[in-house]
Amino acid sequence: MRGHSALLSALVERWRPETHTFHLLVGEVTVMLEDVTYILGLPVNGEPVTGYSWGAASLAHLYRSLYRASRFNCKEMDGPLILLFVWAWERMPFLAPIPRDHLVDVGVPLARRWSHWGRNTRYIRKPTAHFRRGLDDMGVDDVSFNNLS
């Protein structure tokens, strides 16, 4: 997800590996299995894939990647970043590169909808401080706890 490192940095700074949550002034939030289903369209139950469903495996990989990235000496992050970004854009719309009503409704999974937005260089050039400020200034009404569907 080239161009989104500032948002990624601001989120990783707030990740707490011991609770698998982002600590924000308004409380704790996290990516859940339900989010994986809506965002990536992956099943969260059914046949196991080396001990996990595809959805659970994706979420576990994201949590591990966030854990590694939250360590002081980490400079890169792998994992299902589209899951993290779409989750952030849907749950905290003020972080999104464009308003949701400008997206083409291609149904579920939501990641398909976000993959079609036109890249905006003004958004991807915003510094980490911009996203830090946004996360620090947000109120409880700025977080969407509704289903993503």
Side-chain angles (χ1 to χ4, degrees):
M1 296 288 306
R2 186 174 300 162
H4 299 289
S5 60
L7 173 57
L8 181 60
S9 294
L11 289 171
V12 167
E13 289 171 355
R14 287 156 176 77
W15 180 253
R16 298 298 176 260
E18 51 290 338
T19 58
H20 300 300
T21 58
F22 295 99
H23 284 226
L24 306 173
L25 294 176
V26 297
E28 297 177 18
V29 294
T30 195
V31 183
M32 300 184 328
L33 280 174
E34 176 185 82
D35 299 318
V36 174
T37 299
Y38 288 119
I39 294 169
L40 298 179
L42 295 174
V44 295
N45 53 21
E47 294 296 317
V49 180
T50 63
Y52 298 104
S53 68
W54 282 111
S58 296
L59 187 59
H61 188 87
L62 177 63
Y63 284 179
R64 268 193 307 274
S65 297
L66 284 164
Y67 169 76
R68 283 192 301 267
S70 67
R71 295 171 49 189
F72 74 94
N73 61 348
C74 182
K75 303 290 185 224
E76 296 179 352
M77 183 174 163
D78 67 351
L81 295 181
I82 188 69
L83 172 60
L84 178 61
F85 289 128
V86 171
W87 173 83
W89 296 334
E90 289 286 332
R91 295 289 186 200
M92 298 171 277
F94 67 92
L95 295 174
I98 61 171
R100 280 187 270 186
D101 61 354
H102 289 114
L103 297 172
V104 176
D105 187 2
V106 293
V108 175
L110 290 177
R112 286 184 49 211
R113 187 180 311 167
W114 281 100
S115 69
H116 289 62
W117 71 277
R119 301 300 188 258
N120 182 332
T121 57
R122 206 169 64 226
Y123 174 82
I124 62 176
R125 288 189 180 151
K126 290 186 179 193
T128 303
H130 168 81
F131 294 104
R132 282 182 189 135
R133 244 185 338 274
L135 290 169
D136 289 343
D137 294 344
M138 69 187 264
V140 99
D141 293 335
D142 295 323
V143 181
S144 171
F145 295 104
N146 300 327
N147 285 343
L148 300 178
S149 59

